[in-house]
């Protein structure tokens, strides 16, 4: 480092152990005050000690530790103007470069400075926050056992320092919030640096000062997830031009794929493989997993319900209006799965309340009901009776709306009504089997729905043809009701009318909980997720008559057991392959039909992947 190690008078190596702590502090104070009289020799030597970092000899380590401790006892003699070079050296030190003894001494000095004078508070907090992440040379070593041990040593000291400073400076948490948020790495920093920084933010949320900073930390993490998510454009997922078509099939014939691993000319795919190598997608995946694990910890500690309230607030502010979000919303899905009776029901209830509240903006209400539809369809952990109660609220609202509006079809004027109708039909495409043979559910839910769907506003003509077609097919198989008008859907995903009520945001094609294509995140979501391959539509249920006369509870239990049996019976590796090979075929939305020998096998989600349609962006 080019600087001579300080050798204060009477403090040669052989005699240093003979000095008391107070005498060493006195010598350091003399070095600090001497610079005021123009004698900077001892002071320069003191600064030189601070510049020693890596690869220190044992005597250098001992000297550094001793000097740091002495400075902690002499903070009253440090002047922010005359000792700026010393302060600069101290605040640029990284605990990651030192062993536990030096790290302890450095932490003690930083805490002493922070509580001694308000001028140093922000500087000390920034120094501690800078230790959230290791120096660049250390990042690649983080997976090694010794490096993980060093990580634990550093971060425990950093967060203990926050607590000590807060004990003496009550306003410190407010300043810390600003420092942490300003210091967040950008999405273009190294993956490991961003992950470990967010890990520390979540550590603050669950730590001793979490009551003061926790909610802001969690909301900032969700904001970063959304920021990353919207950076993943559809060109990173689709291997062709968006303008050529929209999704046609979720699952395709596996034998055909095995014979031809490459897509046909003019075909493009939605695939987990297409995200491989996408650094932003991989970072988002890692951060989602980190957040999932944090929620698991909260659940074990019995505080998930409290954290969930912050998550709901963040959802309404940030996630609900992020129509380009594809994966970040699974943070709330997973939290609900960990506590279905509280968080799971709370989330659905909040969405219903947003939808029926006339004071909310139309896009907010439509987004809320789109989330609700996707959630009720995909959440394996929700009971059929609860799903029915949520659908009843939607049906009741739509019925009341139709009774007070006597006009004809007008997609622009009745956007919220049509979005509610589409949500009901979409959920029933997944869940109809659980309801059709339960008299109470049929009376309270399906019979009023018939009045809504046959109203002059004609939601069957306005909503997405792909949803309506599947719904009517199942309704006909279940003998629920008949429709006098003939609908020719021609295999269309959407129509001019559905695009009209969807608006610029394309909320008619927004189903936010479609299968997650991020590999690590999917491993958390999958056990509590309903894939379309698990659904048995009414027209495929050969044993439907066997359920006649069943009680509500029996049928609900049968439905839940059936879903569980289907999940347990699936080879996960094989299903991975199916999910990765979901195909999408370009076509004209006005004329092209489903073709070939797969037409009869195609089911609703085969033509409903609207939430991931490029046009929904």
């Amino acid at each position: 480092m080019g600087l001579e190690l300080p050798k204060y008078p009477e403090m040669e190596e052989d005699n240093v152990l003979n000095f008391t702590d107070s005498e060493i502090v006195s010598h350091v104070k003399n070095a600090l005050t001497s610079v005021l009289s123009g004698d900077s020799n001892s002071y320069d030597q003191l600064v030189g000690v601070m510049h020693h970092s890596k690869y220190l000899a044992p005597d250098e380590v001992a000297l550094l530790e001793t000097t740091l401790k002495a400075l902690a006892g002499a903070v009253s003699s440090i002047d922010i103007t005359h000792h700026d070079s010393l302060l600069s050296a101290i605040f640029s030190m990284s605990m990651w470069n030192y062993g536990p003894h030096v790290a302890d001494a450095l932490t003690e000095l930083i805490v002493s400075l922070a509580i001694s004078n308000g001028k140093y508070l922000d500087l000390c907090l920034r120094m501690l926050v800078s230790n959230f992440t290791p120096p660049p040379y250390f990042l690649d070593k983080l997976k090694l056992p010794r490096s993980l041990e060093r990580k634990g040593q550093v971060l425990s000291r950093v967060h203990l320092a926050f607590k000590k400073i807060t004990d003496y400076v009550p306003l410190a948490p407010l300043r810390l919030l600003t420092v942490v948020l300003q210091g967040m790495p950008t999405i273009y920093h190294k993956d490991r640096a961003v992950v470990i920084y967010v890990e520390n933010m979540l550590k603050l949320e669950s730590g001793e000062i979490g009551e003061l900073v926790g909610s802001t930390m969690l909301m900032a993490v969700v904001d970063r997830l959304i920021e990353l998510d919207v950076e993943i454009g559809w060109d990173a997922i689709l291997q062709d031009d968006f303008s050529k078509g929209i999704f046609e099939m979720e699952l395709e014939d596996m034998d055909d794929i095995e014979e031809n691993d490459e897509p046909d000319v003019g075909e493009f795919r939605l695939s987990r493989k297409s995200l491989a190598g996408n650094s932003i997608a991989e970072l988002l995946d890692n951060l989602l997993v980190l957040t999932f694990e944090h929620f698991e910890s909260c659940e074990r500690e019995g505080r998930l319900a409290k954290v969930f309230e912050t998550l709901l607030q963040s959802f309404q502010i940030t996630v609900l209006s992020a129509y380009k979000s594809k994966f970040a919303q699974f943070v709330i899905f997973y939290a609900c799965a960990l506590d279905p009776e509280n968080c799971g029901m709370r989330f659905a209830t909040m969405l219903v309340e947003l939808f029926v509240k006339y004071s909310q903006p139309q896009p907010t209400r439509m987004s809320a009901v789109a989330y609700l539809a996707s959630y009720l369809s995909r959440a394996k952990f929700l009971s059929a009776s609860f799903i029915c109660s949520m659908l009843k609220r939607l049906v009741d609202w739509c019925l009341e709306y139709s009774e007070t509006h006597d006009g004809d079809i007008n997609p622009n004027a009745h956007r919220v009504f049509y979005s509610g109708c589409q949500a009901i039909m979409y959920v029933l495409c997944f869940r109809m089997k659980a309801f059709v043979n339960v008299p109470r559910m049929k009376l309270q839910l399906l019979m009023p729905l018939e009045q809504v769907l046959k109203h002059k506003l004609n939601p069957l003509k306005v909503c997405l043809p792909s949803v309506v077609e599947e719904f009517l097919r199942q309704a006909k198989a279940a003998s629920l009701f008949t429709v006098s008008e003939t609908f020719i859907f021609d295999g269309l995903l959407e129509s001019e009318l559905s695009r009209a009520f969807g608006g610029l945001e394309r909320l008619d094609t927004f189903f936010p909980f479609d299968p997650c294509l991020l590999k690590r995140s999917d491993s958390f979501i999958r056990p509590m997720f309903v894939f379309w391959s698990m659904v048995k539509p009414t027209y495929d249920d050969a044993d439907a008559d066997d359920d006649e006369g069943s009680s509500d509870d029996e049928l609900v239990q049968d439905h839940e057991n059936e879903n569980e049996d289907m999940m347990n019976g699936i080879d996960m590796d094989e299903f991975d392959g199916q999910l990765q090979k979901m195909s999408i075929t370009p076509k004209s939305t006005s004329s092209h039909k489903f073709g070939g020998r797969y037409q009869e096998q195609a089911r609703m989600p085969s033509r409903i992947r609207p939430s991931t349609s490029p046009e929904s962006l």
Side-chain angles (χ1 to χ4, degrees):
M1 310 309 168
L3 291 174
E4 180 183 0
L5 292 178
K7 295 180 181 179
Y8 311 120
E10 312 123 335
M11 289 185 64
E12 298 297 333
E13 185 176 343
D14 294 338
N15 300 321
V16 69
L17 296 179
N18 297 324
F19 286 87
T20 64
D21 291 345
S22 61
E23 289 175 323
I24 296 175
V25 170
S26 177
H27 285 295
V28 169
K29 284 184 176 180
N30 289 336
L32 292 171
T33 56
S34 64
V35 73
L36 303 179
S37 61
D39 181 7
S40 61
N41 185 51
S42 296
Y43 172 76
D44 290 341
Q45 293 176 2
L46 188 62
V47 174
V49 175
M50 300 299 104
H51 283 290
H52 284 70
S53 54
K54 296 185 294 182
Y55 315 120
L56 298 181
D59 60 331
E60 293 175 315
V61 172
L63 180 60
L64 180 57
E65 179 187 353
T66 301
T67 304
L68 289 170
K69 288 182 176 180
L71 283 169
V75 290
S76 60
S77 300
I78 298 178
D79 182 272
I80 197 169
T81 302
H82 295 94
H83 303 129
D84 60 323
S85 59
L86 174 65
L87 291 169
S88 177
I90 293 171
F91 292 136
S92 64
M93 294 177 72
S94 173
M95 295 185 198
W96 296 82
N97 292 329
Y98 307 104
H101 297 299
V102 172
D104 283 338
L106 180 57
T107 302
E108 181 185 354
L109 172 57
I110 295 300
V111 171
S112 298
L113 279 169
I115 66 179
S116 69
N117 192 319
K119 296 178 181 178
Y120 302 128
L121 180 59
D122 281 9
L123 293 170
C124 292
L125 293 177
R126 288 194 189 99
M127 184 272 182
L128 291 170
V129 170
S130 71
N131 278 274
F132 278 0
T133 55
Y137 79 90
F138 206 99
L139 277 174
D140 295 330
K141 303 177 183 179
L142 274 179
K143 293 184 179 180
L144 301 176
R146 290 185 63 184
S147 299
L148 288 174
E149 182 182 1
R150 176 65 60 84
K151 173 187 172 184
Q153 292 172 352
V154 171
L155 299 186
S156 63
R157 286 166 174 78
V158 167
H159 289 271
L160 179 60
F162 289 143
K163 176 62 169 62
K164 288 181 177 179
I165 293 172
T166 299
D167 289 342
Y168 288 94
V169 186
L171 293 179
L174 294 178
R175 301 302 309 149
L176 177 61
L177 287 176
T178 301
V179 172
V180 172
L181 297 181
Q182 289 178 346
M184 285 187 73
T186 70
I187 59 177
Y188 302 106
H189 276 73
K190 275 193 173 183
D191 179 300
R192 283 183 289 273
V194 179
V195 170
I196 195 172
Y197 196 95
V198 171
E199 180 182 346
N200 278 278
M201 294 176 69
L202 295 175
K203 204 176 190 64
L204 282 171
E205 190 282 324
S206 60
E208 293 189 79
I209 61 173
E211 289 288 335
L212 303 171
V213 302
S215 60
T216 303
M217 290 296 104
L218 183 56
M219 294 177 76
V221 169
V222 174
D223 288 349
R224 179 50 51 93
L225 294 176
I226 289 291
E227 181 183 351
L228 287 165
D229 199 333
V230 299
E231 281 290 320
I232 305 172
W234 284 106
D235 55 344
I237 298 178
L238 305 179
Q239 299 178 344
D240 211 318
D241 182 8
F242 295 161
S243 64
K244 292 182 179 179
I246 52 180
F247 295 104
E248 179 179 341
M249 299 184 71
E250 177 176 306
L251 300 175
E252 57 187 359
D253 188 89
M254 298 305 297
D255 294 333
D256 181 63
I257 293 176
E258 289 173 0
E259 293 174 4
N260 181 16
D261 289 335
E262 296 300 322
D264 295 334
V265 176
E267 182 184 83
F268 52 104
R269 294 179 180 174
L270 173 65
S271 170
R272 181 180 293 151
K273 289 181 180 179
S274 61
L275 289 175
N278 185 312
S279 59
I280 294 180
E282 291 174 3
L283 174 56
L284 177 60
D285 196 11
N286 290 332
L287 291 182
L288 282 171
V289 168
L290 186 65
T291 309
F292 294 160
E293 292 172 341
H294 179 73
F295 289 157
E296 290 176 351
S297 174
C298 294
E299 195 273 333
R300 288 192 298 269
E301 296 168 3
R303 61 185 201 90
L304 180 60
K306 183 176 182 179
V307 171
F308 190 74
E309 291 303 312
T310 299
L311 191 60
L312 277 183
Q313 184 182 358
S314 178
F315 174 84
Q316 293 188 60
I317 295 173
T318 304
V319 182
L320 189 60
S321 59
Y323 310 121
K324 293 183 181 180
S325 177
K326 298 163 284 296
F327 311 116
Q329 54 265 34
F330 279 102
V331 293
I332 200 162
F333 186 97
Y334 191 69
C336 291
L338 291 174
D339 187 5
E341 295 299 319
N342 295 301
C343 301
M345 297 172 70
R346 176 87 171 84
F347 180 53
T349 303
M350 181 206 73
L351 293 173
V352 169
E353 295 296 338
L354 285 174
F355 171 71
V356 302
K357 191 174 295 185
Y358 283 90
S359 59
Q360 293 288 342
Q362 282 192 353
T364 298
R365 298 174 70 190
M366 295 173 68
S367 180
V369 81
Y371 264 98
L372 181 66
S374 194
Y375 177 63
L376 296 179
S377 302
R378 299 293 191 173
K380 188 182 180 186
F381 46 86
L382 296 177
S383 69
S385 58
F386 176 74
I387 294 171
C388 183
S389 69
M390 293 293 101
L391 285 178
K392 185 178 185 304
R393 291 202 61 185
L394 296 184
V395 171
D396 288 347
W397 184 90
C398 290
L399 181 60
E400 180 183 353
Y401 186 94
S402 63
E403 290 173 346
T404 56
H405 293 78
D406 199 29
D408 293 325
I409 291 176
N410 190 331
N412 293 313
H414 306 291
R415 299 178 66 200
V416 177
F417 169 74
Y418 291 123
S419 66
C421 294
Q422 180 169 294
I424 296 167
M425 289 188 284
Y426 182 81
V427 176
L428 287 175
C429 288
F430 280 81
R431 306 284 191 173
M432 190 179 296
K433 181 187 169 189
F435 303 145
V436 291
N437 292 315
V438 181
R440 180 180 62 83
M441 292 183 178
K442 190 172 183 178
L443 178 66
Q444 294 180 354
L445 180 66
L446 300 178
M447 292 180 65
L449 177 61
E450 182 177 2
Q451 299 179 49
V452 174
L453 298 181
K454 292 183 176 181
H455 190 268
K456 289 182 179 180
L457 294 176
N458 209 337
L460 293 175
K461 183 171 287 186
V462 177
C463 296
L464 284 176
S466 42
V467 175
V468 176
E469 181 180 15
E470 176 67 21
F471 169 77
L472 289 179
R473 186 181 177 193
Q474 291 204 37
K476 180 180 179 181
S479 301
L480 293 182
F481 55 82
T482 58
V483 181
S484 58
E485 184 176 358
T486 301
F487 291 89
I488 302 176
F489 295 102
D490 207 25
L492 297 179
L493 168 70
E494 56 189 8
S495 66
E496 291 296 333
L497 291 174
S498 71
R499 283 193 292 271
F501 95 78
L504 293 175
E505 304 90 351
R506 292 310 313 274
L507 290 171
D508 60 316
T509 60
F510 185 53
F511 298 97
F513 291 123
D514 277 346
C516 180
L517 297 178
L518 301 177
K519 186 173 184 179
R520 295 186 66 206
S521 300
D522 175 60
S523 67
F524 283 78
I525 298 298
R526 174 176 298 179
M528 57 267 308
F529 190 84
V530 176
F531 293 91
W532 177 251
S533 60
M534 301 173 187
V535 176
K536 288 187 176 180
T538 55
Y539 49 76
D540 279 359
D541 189 2
D543 301 321
D545 292 338
D546 295 341
D547 289 330
E548 271 196 63
S550 299
S551 69
D552 294 6
D553 292 339
E554 287 174 345
L555 190 61
V556 167
Q557 187 61 51
D558 288 345
H559 181 66
E560 291 172 346
N561 290 341
E562 178 184 87
N563 276 347
E564 184 173 353
D565 292 341
M566 284 188 285
M567 172 66 80
N568 293 335
I570 289 180
D571 183 298
M572 288 300 133
D573 291 332
E574 179 181 349
F575 188 81
D576 259 338
Q578 293 180 351
L579 182 62
Q580 292 168 4
K581 294 174 180 176
M582 293 187 293
S583 76
I584 38 185
T585 304
K587 59 185 175 64
S588 167
T589 59
S590 61
S591 62
H592 194 83
K593 299 181 180 180
F594 288 108
R597 56 194 175 94
Y598 307 124
Q599 182 174 359
E600 189 61 30
Q601 299 174 353
R603 296 176 179 174
M604 180 269 291
S606 301
R607 296 173 294 250
I608 296 181
R609 293 277 312 183
S611 64
T612 47
S613 168
E615 295 188 17
S616 70
L617 306 185

